[in-house]
Amino acid sequence: MTGQLIDFLLTRSARERLLLGTALLVILLGLGFGLLMPLHARRLRAEAQLGEAQALELWIADRIVEKQSLTRAFDPVPQAPIGTSGVERGLIAARLRPALTSLSTQGDGRIDLRFDQVDFAQLGAWLSAAHPGWGYRIDSFRLEALQGDGGAEGGSDHISGRVAAWISLSPQDP
């Protein structure tokens, strides 16, 4: 096989051999870049995502430490439950009452709240401010990001900062 290749190249002129060598080099470089460049780009994206995930993990760990220090510093004394009217007054004060879709009570004192579309930051601020003194504990809390109408491109972007929320509260044990 090598002998045939040598014979083939010897029967060609110097110019043809140079063109064949250049073509072979271009093909090899094209294959190399065609295979290696996408792999390199994928690796850079993966490293960036890993860095973001590690930064998020550190941020969460810091928030946990902060919460634990705040919990130790402020140990609220269980209060008598404020009832649905108290919860509703808090929602009105936080300007969340128009976003409230459903407010229901159970026989055992449980309160269920449903928001079909509410500002996430406003809801979080209300929960953070109201929770220690209202005499209830949060049994369940579920959020869903709301999808946009798709816009001109037909995509499904999230509605900026808006969520659907379901919250179940039950009276704290004294």
Side-chain angles (χ1 to χ4, degrees), residues 91 94-96 99-100 113-115 117-130 134 141-143 161-167:
L91 289 168
R95 300 178 191 254
L96 287 171
L100 183 66
L113 300 138
R114 188 180 89 209
F115 299 88
Q117 185 176 356
V118 64
D119 182 72
F120 175 74
Q122 247 184 322
L123 181 65
W126 173 72
L127 283 172
S128 297
W134 60 10
F141 184 75
R142 188 174 123 208
L143 292 174
R162 308 294 272 173
V163 295
W166 296 265
I167 305 168

Side-chain angles (χ1 to χ4, degrees), residues 62-153:
D62 288 345
R63 298 298 72 76
I64 290 171
V65 168
E66 180 182 340
K67 186 213 177 285
Q68 288 172 344
S69 68
L70 290 173
T71 303
R72 276 186 243 118
F74 176 71
D75 192 16
V77 176
Q79 306 265 336
I82 59 176
T84 55
S85 61
V87 171
E88 193 166 13
R89 277 193 306 272
L91 289 168
I92 291 169
R95 300 178 191 254
L96 287 171
R97 181 60 178 104
L100 183 66
T101 306
S102 170
L103 174 65
S104 61
T105 59
Q106 308 294 326
D108 59 353
R110 284 180 36 133
I111 297 177
D112 293 320
L113 300 138
R114 188 180 89 209
F115 299 88
D116 287 339
Q117 185 176 356
V118 64
D119 182 72
F120 175 74
Q122 247 184 322
L123 181 65
W126 173 72
L127 283 172
S128 297
H131 175 64
W134 60 10
Y136 288 96
R137 70 172 178 271
I138 298 173
D139 285 335
S140 69
F141 184 75
R142 188 174 123 208
L143 292 174
E144 285 183 14
L146 296 176
Q147 299 292 325
D149 60 358
E153 296 85 32

Side-chain angles (χ1 to χ4, degrees), residues 14-30:
R15 183 183 204 178
E16 289 175 331
R17 285 193 299 260
L18 181 64
L19 284 173
L20 285 172
T22 305
L24 181 64
L25 182 65
V26 167
I27 290 171
L28 289 175
L29 286 174

